[in-house]
């Protein structure tokens, strides 16, 4: 067994990726993890607000109305992963000031406004999202932004192999 440990960015992005598996969005699975001083403050994933029917149950309003990705965010039942992570911290009375947020996808302008107001000072993401306003606002707010290379998943795969074993991962790959 390999005794290597993931770099912090890989570790927290892997956790954000696991959070994304809880997503109830029919279009895109997104996860987020808020971290302060290498400690997880909260997690979030995109989906309908607490207690409301999921899009899987009632349909995707954006698909029904043929709204393209990146437009008319207000026309969605779901709350974004970043918003849910911020709300989870707030509900528990946990400050997000001077924290970092790891997102599987680059935050949109709505989430960027919440990130700025929550005092989050660094955004780390994996998948770019075309929102020039969000990028401009993060620059104006002096938020540090890091886009991780997809190559990061190569080290994540090796780490998972250590946990699950090569035979199990190979078996799962054959069924996909």
């Amino acid at each position: 067994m390999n005794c290597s440990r993931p770099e912090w960015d890989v570790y927290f992005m892997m956790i954000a990726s696991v959070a994304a598996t809880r997503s109830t969005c029919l279009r895109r699975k997104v996860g987020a993890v808020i971290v302060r001083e290498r400690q997880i403050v909260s997690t979030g994933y995109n989906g309908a607000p607490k207690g409301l029917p999921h899009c899987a149950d009632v349909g995707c309003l954006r698909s029904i109305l043929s709204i393209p990705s990146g437009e008319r965010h207000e026309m969605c039942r779901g709350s974004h992963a970043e918003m849910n992570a911020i709300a989870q911290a707030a509900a528990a009375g946990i400050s997000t000031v001077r924290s970092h947020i790891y997102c599987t996808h680059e935050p949109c302008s709505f989430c960027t406004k919440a990130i700025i107001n929550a005092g989050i000072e660094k955004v780390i993401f994996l998948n770019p999202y075309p929102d020039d306003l969000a990028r401009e606002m993060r620059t104006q707010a002096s938020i540090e932004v890091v886009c991780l290379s997809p190559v990061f998943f190569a080290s994540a795969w090796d780490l998972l192999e250590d946990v699950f074993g090569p035979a199990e991962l190979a078996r799962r790959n054959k069924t996909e």
Side-chain angles (χ1 to χ4, degrees), residues 30-95:
V30 181
V33 176
I34 299 176
V35 175
R36 188 175 51 247
E37 297 177 5
R38 295 185 179 166
Q39 298 293 314
I40 295 172
V41 170
S42 67
T43 63
Y45 53 87
N46 57 331
K50 287 182 183 180
L52 297 185
H54 299 294
C55 295
D57 301 325
V58 296
C60 174
L61 181 61
R62 296 176 62 76
S63 290
I64 293 166
L65 298 176
S66 300
I67 298 171
S69 179
E71 296 179 15
R72 311 262 341 258
H73 290 121
E74 75 281 5
M75 297 299 294
C76 179
R77 303 182 53 77
S79 181
H80 291 185
E82 303 90 332
M83 296 276 214
N84 283 332
I86 291 167
Q88 183 185 71
I94 301 170
S95 174

Side-chain angles (χ1 to χ4, degrees), residues 119-138:
I120 295 171
E121 64 184 16
K122 185 174 181 180
V123 173
I124 304 97
F125 67 90
L126 188 60
N127 299 296
Y129 185 76
D131 191 330
D132 292 335
L133 177 58
R135 291 181 183 127
E136 180 183 340
M137 287 190 297
R138 287 191 299 265

